[in-house]
Amino acid sequence: MTTNTVVTINKLVPSGAPTLENFKVAAAPVPTKDALKDGEILVRTLYLSCDPYMRGRLSGRTDSYVASFEAGKPIDGLGVGVVEASSHADYKEGDIVTGGAFKWETRFIASAKGFTKIPSTNGMSPASFLGVLGMPSFTAYVGTITLCKPKQGETILVSAASGAVGQMVVQLAKARGLRVIGAAGSDDKVQYVKDLGADVAFNYKTVKSLGSAIKDAAPNGIDIYFDNVGGEFLDVALKNMRPNGRIAECGMISQYNATAEEAYHIQNLAYVVMKKLTIYGFIVSEYYTTPAYGEFIKE
């Protein structure tokens, strides 16, 4: 092989939906072990993860928790790959690694500090470390278990319940004896959420009223809301929370492509005071060095 496939940012997208014109796929020379500096590894990419938080990195903003992509440079994010060469004592050829510093290239060289070895897959695909054993599941664990501290018998509402994070929230909550209500955007997804164990699931795109759908599903109110979408769904959820309810703010994907004119403005924030609600905003990467990560892996 004499070329290396690289996906770069052609143009940033401050607002609106990205298009193919914002990206560029090109061929570049294949990096070799001769180019390694001390502490670096040469990685061949096996799997890459395309996650909602990456939309924010396309905006060019400088006030976020993670740096924006740069025009003309490769996309980077979560991935799994195999070490083909190493100048770091802790890594050797053949090691399977994961981490958040994967460049969108067939092969690349990077500092070993941004990677973690996968010790054993126990028969599971390495791709599982981007899903059920990876960031989406840990996000679900932190928001649901670590922060909201669910109690048996409580009611939890999950938006985007069929998504990578939401489906794990559903299962974690059911395992702890909660009544689970899930919302998804198609009938097939609704059925999937029910198959995961949700007590109630509805298609938020086809219900006559989002407020009525939530009220019918939880006539006594919501104890925990796991928010993946923001916007109108969050607004309606606020109104349906029980006193001392908790909200895990994982994401607001309904607003990521919204222009200033399209952005939804929350109207029910007064319920935070009236119902003594607690809203947890969190970034999951900050929890990998806490006891929560060990607890997650053990479970």
Side-chain angles (χ1 to χ4, degrees):
M1 182 183 293
T2 57
T3 59
N4 196 39
T5 302
V6 182
V7 182
T8 62
I9 300 297
N10 192 39
K11 184 180 180 182
L12 293 172
V13 193
S15 65
T19 68
L20 290 177
E21 295 179 353
N22 296 109
F23 308 92
K24 181 179 179 180
V25 180
V30 177
T32 66
K33 63 181 181 180
D34 296 334
L36 287 173
K37 298 177 181 177
D38 287 344
E40 290 185 331
I41 54 177
L42 169 60
V43 179
R44 174 167 56 87
T45 301
L46 297 177
Y47 303 98
L48 294 169
S49 183
C50 187
D51 298 293
Y53 82 92
M54 299 173 83
R55 174 60 188 89
R57 299 189 66 190
L58 282 169
S59 67
R61 63 188 301 168
T62 59
D63 59 349
S64 181
Y65 65 94
V66 62
S68 289
F69 295 126
E70 296 183 47
K73 294 189 176 182
I75 298 173
D76 64 86
L78 293 163
V80 171
V82 58
V83 175
E84 292 196 331
S86 172
S87 63
H88 192 289
D90 294 337
Y91 295 86
K92 65 181 186 301
E93 182 179 349
D95 285 342
I96 305 297
V97 294
T98 186
F102 268 76
K103 298 177 183 179
W104 282 29
E105 302 183 34
T106 309
R107 288 174 170 83
F108 63 91
I109 290 174
S111 169
K113 291 181 179 179
F115 300 86
T116 301
K117 283 194 292 187
I118 296 175
S120 174
T121 60
N122 291 322
M124 299 184 68
S125 165
S128 297
F129 286 83
L130 296 180
V132 68
L133 298 177
M135 182 270 288
S137 289
F138 188 41
T139 300
Y141 186 91
V142 170
T144 307
I145 309 304
T146 306
L147 297 178
C148 287
K149 296 179 173 56
K151 303 178 183 67
Q152 185 173 1
E154 289 188 320
T155 296
I156 185 171
L157 172 65
V158 187
S159 56
S162 65
V165 175
Q167 63 180 274
M168 296 308 300
V169 175
V170 170
Q171 295 173 79
L172 286 167
K174 282 302 297 181
R176 282 164 172 76
L178 275 71
R179 184 169 184 273
V180 178
I181 302 167
S186 74
D187 291 342
D188 287 345
K189 291 179 180 179
V190 167
Q191 185 58 53
Y192 177 63
V193 174
K194 290 180 178 178
D195 291 343
L196 290 174
D199 298 279
V200 181
F202 62 86
N203 185 339
Y204 72 90
K205 292 182 179 179
T206 58
V207 294
K208 292 183 179 180
S209 164
L210 188 55
S212 295
I214 294 175
K215 186 69 174 178
D216 290 345
N220 296 320
I222 304 295
D223 296 291
I224 300 172
Y225 171 45
F226 196 103
D227 186 23
N228 289 301
V229 300
E232 181 185 7
F233 206 111
L234 169 60
D235 212 15
V236 176
L238 284 167
K239 194 173 183 178
N240 285 275
M241 296 297 294
R242 287 173 52 83
N244 299 303
R246 294 89 75 202
I247 299 175
E249 277 303 333
C250 173
M252 299 190 176
I253 198 169
S254 73
Q255 303 300 295
Y256 290 169
N257 289 330
T259 64
E261 294 75 21
E262 297 168 339
Y264 185 91
H265 299 284
I266 300 296
Q267 303 173 42
N268 288 322
L269 275 178
Y271 285 101
V272 176
V273 177
M274 295 162 58
K275 297 188 176 186
K276 299 166 289 182
L277 306 179
T278 300
I279 300 179
Y280 296 101
F282 69 102
I283 306 300
V284 70
S285 59
E286 297 178 357
Y287 287 83
Y288 278 93
T289 57
T290 71
Y293 186 62
E295 294 163 2
F296 162 71
I297 293 297
K298 182 179 179 180
E299 181 168 335

